[in-house]
Amino acid sequence: IMPIITFRSTTTKDKRAYATAGDTGTILAVARANDVKIPFECQEGECGSCLIRVEYVEGKPRMAIALTEREKTKLKELGKITEEQIADAEVNDIAPPYRLACQFIAREEEVIIHYEHCPAEA
Ligand code: FES
């Protein structure tokens, strides 16, 4: 079974779905390979420009919940994750709603990625 990653722009309503073979790299890499215009700058989890909201498809397994220290720090700075959500992710495998596309590695889960289209491309 191939997991499906769906990209949905919150600004242009553009919607595209891609089946991935599992070992896909980051969500940002998948987006770039398919010309999906998620904004990015540093690609290191430091600038926060690649912020996405991740919606998990009901009834499918959830993975890729682990956050790197960098991602946690940046999401906290952006006000997009609480200490409680971090604890939930680490202890209870409950996925937080916001992620950084350059840090989130998609594996076998099926997700809908909500992103804000690059302003220059909208
Ligand atoms: Fe900078 Fe992802 S591109 S945090």
Side-chain angles (χ1 to χ4, degrees):
I1 307 158
M2 300 262 234
I4 310 279
I5 299 176
T6 303
F7 292 96
R8 268 193 105 130
S9 166
T10 55
T11 38
T12 68
K13 304 296 170 215
D14 186 52
K15 184 183 170 189
R16 289 186 254 169
Y18 301 98
T20 61
D23 203 11
T24 50
T26 65
I27 287 289
L28 183 61
V30 176
R32 292 189 68 193
N34 293 289
D35 204 32
V36 174
K37 309 287 189 188
I38 295 181
F40 68 92
E41 283 169 33
C42 70
Q43 301 191 61
E44 301 282 348
E46 283 166 359
C47 72
S49 58
C50 66
L51 184 74
I52 51 171
R53 185 168 67 79
V54 181
E55 183 186 340
Y56 286 81
V57 175
E58 211 52 49
K60 304 276 182 179
R62 296 169 176 214
M63 293 178 216
I65 290 179
L67 290 93
T68 63
E69 285 306 315
R70 239 184 236 179
E71 187 174 13
K72 276 187 257 182
T73 303
K74 192 67 216 181
L75 288 172
K76 268 196 272 186
E77 266 175 46
L78 294 171
K80 294 296 185 187
I81 200 165
T82 63
E83 289 293 347
E84 198 182 349
Q85 286 170 329
I86 290 173
D88 265 347
E90 288 173 349
V91 181
N92 302 319
D93 276 349
I94 296 173
Y98 289 95
R99 298 296 298 264
L100 297 174
C102 71
Q103 301 295 297
F104 180 15
I105 295 173
R107 300 189 206 278
E108 302 294 330
E109 70 272 283
E110 201 154 324
V111 289
I112 302 168
I113 304 296
H114 299 268
Y115 68 100
E116 219 168 288
H117 222 73
C118 280
E121 306 282 345

